[in-house]
Amino acid sequence: MIIDGQKTDLNPEVLARMGIPDELWRAKADRIQERVRPIIQRYVSDLSKNIADSVGFLFWGDNGTGKTGTAVCIAKEARTLGATVYFTTVASMFRAEYEKEMFDGAEGITVSDRVLSVDLLILDEMGKEPSGESGFQERYLENLLRKRTGARNRATIATSNLTMEKLRAFYSHSMLEALKGKMLPVKFIGENQRDQNDESLRGRLLGMKRTG
């Protein structure tokens, strides 16, 4: 099995219901960093078993190095296998929890229900959520991770722009233990891919002949 979001008809409606932002719908495996690609390929080669065993990842590293795109590639592959998948930023998850926002009004499923029950959960941008003096958010997140890693068919992939040192400063020890329970830390390094895309676009625009 290979990671290739183009081989299956994952139409915009399906991707939107998975929670994936439209700018990430075209995430492709050829953009995955070469140094982490073997790990991702091994994971995906036995994806059904890894999801069944609730095995996931913690992708960490600088902004724009491909962490979220890699997570989305895995998410799309999982969906083609029939797994239920949901993508959310941590901040959006908490905002929905505070507002009791409905994920699907017709079905009456809340975001809280969704993040707990899906086969594969993508938690994007960990460490960007407000810490809050009450500690509610961290307790909620830790409880969610412990419930998911302690159950079958509850794999989680989290991403963070923070270093491991900063993650240790941001979260409590028990929270980090919950985070790393069945989630392999994988470091992403390199130049910001978004900056490279901006430079490529800039070059194309500057190279165009003026018209009119």
Side-chain angles (χ1 to χ4, degrees):
M1 186 186 305
I2 60 173
I3 306 173
D4 184 358
Q6 302 302 312
K7 68 182 176 65
T8 302
D9 182 21
L10 291 176
N11 61 56
E13 181 181 356
V14 171
L15 293 167
R17 285 183 61 81
M18 290 165 63
I20 298 175
D22 55 7
E23 65 269 21
L24 292 170
W25 288 354
R26 294 185 179 274
K28 295 181 179 180
D30 61 9
R31 298 301 303 274
I32 297 175
Q33 286 191 9
E34 289 187 12
R35 67 182 299 274
V36 305
R37 191 174 297 167
I39 299 173
I40 305 304
Q41 289 178 330
R42 285 197 298 272
Y43 181 82
V44 172
S45 69
D46 207 2
L47 186 55
S48 296
K49 184 178 188 303
N50 284 322
I51 290 177
D53 292 342
S54 302
V55 175
F57 290 108
L58 166 60
F59 294 154
W60 65 280
D62 289 339
N63 186 52
T65 50
K67 301 180 298 295
T68 301
T70 300
V72 169
C73 284
I74 298 173
K76 292 196 294 183
E77 183 71 10
R79 187 66 188 89
T80 67
L81 295 178
T84 55
V85 181
Y86 187 56
F87 175 105
T88 181
T89 65
V90 177
S92 294
M93 179 181 68
F94 286 133
R95 183 164 57 250
E97 175 65 19
Y98 284 135
E99 298 173 357
K100 299 300 180 184
E101 181 180 67
M102 302 302 289
F103 173 79
D104 188 326
E107 297 178 6
I109 301 174
T110 66
V111 170
S112 295
D113 294 333
R114 185 68 54 164
V115 298
L116 185 60
S117 64
V118 291
D119 300 325
L120 176 62
L121 174 65
I122 310 297
L123 284 176
D124 198 34
E125 298 184 340
M126 285 195 63
K128 292 187 70 173
E129 71 276 12
S131 56
E133 295 183 2
S134 67
F136 163 78
Q137 293 177 326
E138 183 168 323
R139 290 195 301 272
Y140 179 96
L141 189 55
E142 179 179 343
N143 186 51
L144 169 66
L145 291 173
R146 290 192 183 279
K147 284 183 176 180
R148 289 189 60 82
T149 57
R152 294 279 293 174
N153 300 307
R154 297 292 185 273
T156 306
I157 298 175
T159 77
S160 179
N161 295 333
L162 300 182
T163 64
M164 292 304 295
E165 182 179 358
K166 289 182 178 179
L167 281 169
R168 284 191 288 268
F170 191 87
Y171 294 116
S172 67
H173 176 73
S174 61
M175 168 61 201
L176 288 176
E177 289 299 306
L179 182 64
K180 295 187 295 183
K182 288 188 178 179
M183 299 165 67
L184 175 67
V186 176
K187 182 180 181 180
F188 282 65
I189 61 175
E191 296 181 4
N192 191 317
Q193 293 179 4
R194 296 170 195 164
D195 289 345
Q196 293 175 359
N197 291 339
D198 290 344
E199 285 301 315
S200 176
L201 178 60
R202 186 192 305 275
R204 286 175 54 193
L205 293 176
L206 291 176
M208 290 180 180
K209 295 181 179 180
R210 293 180 180 274
T211 59

